[in-house]
Amino acid sequence: MTDAESRHDRLTRHPTPGPRNSLQSWTDARSPLVVARNYAAIVAARVSPSLRLKNWLLRRIGVTVGDGVSWGLESTPDVFWPDLVTVEDHAIVGYDATLLCHEFLQDEYRTGEVVVGERAMIGAGAVVLPGVRIGAGAQVAANSLVADDVPPGATVAGVPAEIVSRSGVGDDATKEENESDESKERESGDDSQS
């Protein structure tokens, strides 16, 4: 993951010429039978209390699911392109979180892989947009909209999600950033006492 590359750079664009919006032509994008099969598997996985069954069902429709992955109740991988979802070992996808791998727009639809890194955690109700990569050990706060990549070990929150903290483990840039912030706070405190 490089600073210069954004999720938009990783999206595949599919033009849908004509007067209708791209969602009107969804049956040209994916077979209705495939989407119906995916939907049935996802609905069963969403309500199943068994993590083993959830992982088994989602693997059957193409989701790449690592060892020890935990899906909360009502969590939802993309119904059109579940094969573009990768959730690495021991990650958690929280209650009612959604991993989207498509965007239907007016003149095109876009698809992009979503990758949730090892031991990452996505909070309840969060939405992850197509093309986003969530780094190992990262955390996404509940009800956040993740429109950009999340660095390993970072915690993001909000709409759109922004970095609120970093683990700092082995991250010299973060350490320097934190030291600089602390220095500014001390200077600011000194000024107010004069």
Side-chain angles (χ1 to χ4, degrees), residues 114-148:
V114 168
V115 178
V116 178
E118 187 173 335
R119 300 193 66 79
M121 192 279 308
I122 300 174
V127 176
V128 179
L129 295 182
V132 167
R133 296 176 181 171
I134 298 174
Q139 298 181 56
V140 174
N143 294 315
S144 295
L145 174 65
V146 186
D148 293 308

Side-chain angles (χ1 to χ4, degrees), residues 29-91:
R30 289 301 268 195
S31 160
L33 293 176
V34 169
V35 174
R37 177 206 65 190
N38 294 348
Y39 183 76
I42 289 170
V43 167
R46 288 183 61 173
V47 298
S48 172
S50 168
L51 297 176
R52 179 178 284 163
L53 179 59
K54 287 175 188 284
N55 288 337
W56 183 85
L57 285 166
L58 297 176
R59 285 182 183 118
R60 300 286 80 69
I61 61 170
V63 177
T64 301
V65 180
D67 292 334
V69 169
S70 298
W71 300 83
L73 287 173
E74 303 294 332
S75 59
T76 307
D78 193 276
V79 70
F80 283 91
W81 285 274
D83 51 305
L84 295 178
V85 174
T86 298
V87 182
E88 296 179 353
D89 296 350
H90 306 288

